[in-house]
Amino acid sequence: MKEELVILVDEQDKQIGLMPKMEAHEKAVLHRAFSVFIFNENNEVMLQQRALHKYHSPGLWTNTCCSHQREGENNIEAGKRRLLEEMGFVVPLKETISFIYKAPFDNGLTEHELDHVLVGNYEGEPIINKDEVASWKWMPLEDVKSDIKQHPELYTAWFKIIFERFYSYLES
């Protein structure tokens, strides 16, 4: 299987090239990404637990789904594609904030991403892809915030950064 390419960008999100995903994470090169937050009618966010065999951050809790846009794919298309691939459903998504972050991992890889945060609403149960997702749950935002503070080791490095930025956006 051909390795997925990520879109390299400058700080204004202008595409400047393509690179294999693993190489971009090994070299900590800035690339485009997205993070999806799905909410229910109770304003709870759907979290996923990463599959236990993932090459980084296995078994940790994170936002509903996240990944990288493919060349020629806009943020919304990419979010819907990955939501279907990981969680088994598609809903309308809207763009909220975007920002750059850097998160190194214990295995030597680094996420250096210009992340676009997408939101949507869903009331059903996901049909999770067990290759990607071990489990899922709904959680009130306040509970997520306090649980990250009490148990940061249970959450992915990028989710802790993205959640803080997104939570501040929601409060403003």
Side-chain angles (χ1 to χ4, degrees), residues 110-172:
T110 300
E111 292 280 14
H112 188 197
E113 298 183 335
L114 197 158
D115 192 49
H116 297 266
V117 180
L118 313 172
V119 298
N121 295 90
Y122 184 67
E123 297 305 322
E125 285 203 13
I127 303 165
I128 59 173
N129 175 349
K130 291 289 191 176
D131 288 334
E132 300 288 340
V133 181
S135 187
W136 70 279
K137 62 184 173 183
W138 291 110
M139 226 173 145
L141 288 173
E142 286 299 323
D143 291 358
V144 174
K145 185 177 180 177
S146 64
D147 200 46
I148 287 173
K149 194 174 219 172
Q150 293 172 12
H151 305 286
E153 73 282 359
L154 300 179
Y155 295 90
T156 62
W158 66 88
F159 178 63
K160 291 180 278 192
I161 296 166
I162 294 164
F163 182 81
E164 184 178 317
R165 291 290 293 265
F166 182 61
Y167 190 86
S168 295
Y169 161 80
L170 291 175
E171 287 186 316
S172 61

Side-chain angles (χ1 to χ4, degrees), residues 34-159:
F34 63 88
S35 298
V36 177
F37 285 77
I38 297 297
F39 292 90
N40 65 17
E41 63 188 6
N42 299 321
N43 205 33
E44 297 169 316
V45 64
M46 180 183 286
L47 299 183
Q48 72 149 274
Q49 183 183 31
R50 288 172 59 82
L52 300 178
H53 61 268
K54 295 290 246 178
Y55 69 93
H56 71 77
S57 310
L60 297 183
W61 288 94
T62 196
N63 51 292
T64 313
C65 75
C66 53
S67 190
H68 305 96
Q69 296 84 337
R70 293 179 177 157
E71 188 171 32
E73 186 178 52
N74 70 39
N75 298 330
I76 299 294
E77 292 166 343
K80 287 181 175 182
R81 170 183 51 81
R82 201 63 186 153
L83 197 54
L84 182 61
E85 291 170 357
E86 290 190 18
M87 305 305 284
F89 67 90
V90 175
V91 296
L93 297 173
K94 73 172 192 172
E95 295 193 47
T96 60
I97 58 172
S98 60
F99 58 92
I100 294 172
Y101 76 93
K102 201 171 197 177
F105 302 117
D106 293 341
N107 62 5
L109 302 177
T110 300
E111 292 280 14
H112 188 197
E113 298 183 335
L114 197 158
D115 192 49
H116 297 266
V117 180
L118 313 172
V119 298
N121 295 90
Y122 184 67
E123 297 305 322
E125 285 203 13
I127 303 165
I128 59 173
N129 175 349
K130 291 289 191 176
D131 288 334
E132 300 288 340
V133 181
S135 187
W136 70 279
K137 62 184 173 183
W138 291 110
M139 226 173 145
L141 288 173
E142 286 299 323
D143 291 358
V144 174
K145 185 177 180 177
S146 64
D147 200 46
I148 287 173
K149 194 174 219 172
Q150 293 172 12
H151 305 286
E153 73 282 359
L154 300 179
Y155 295 90
T156 62
W158 66 88
F159 178 63

Side-chain angles (χ1 to χ4, degrees), residues 9-21:
V9 294
D10 64 16
E11 291 185 356
Q12 286 70 49
D13 200 24
K14 181 176 178 277
Q15 182 173 338
I16 57 174
L18 297 171
M19 184 178 281
K21 181 171 81 168

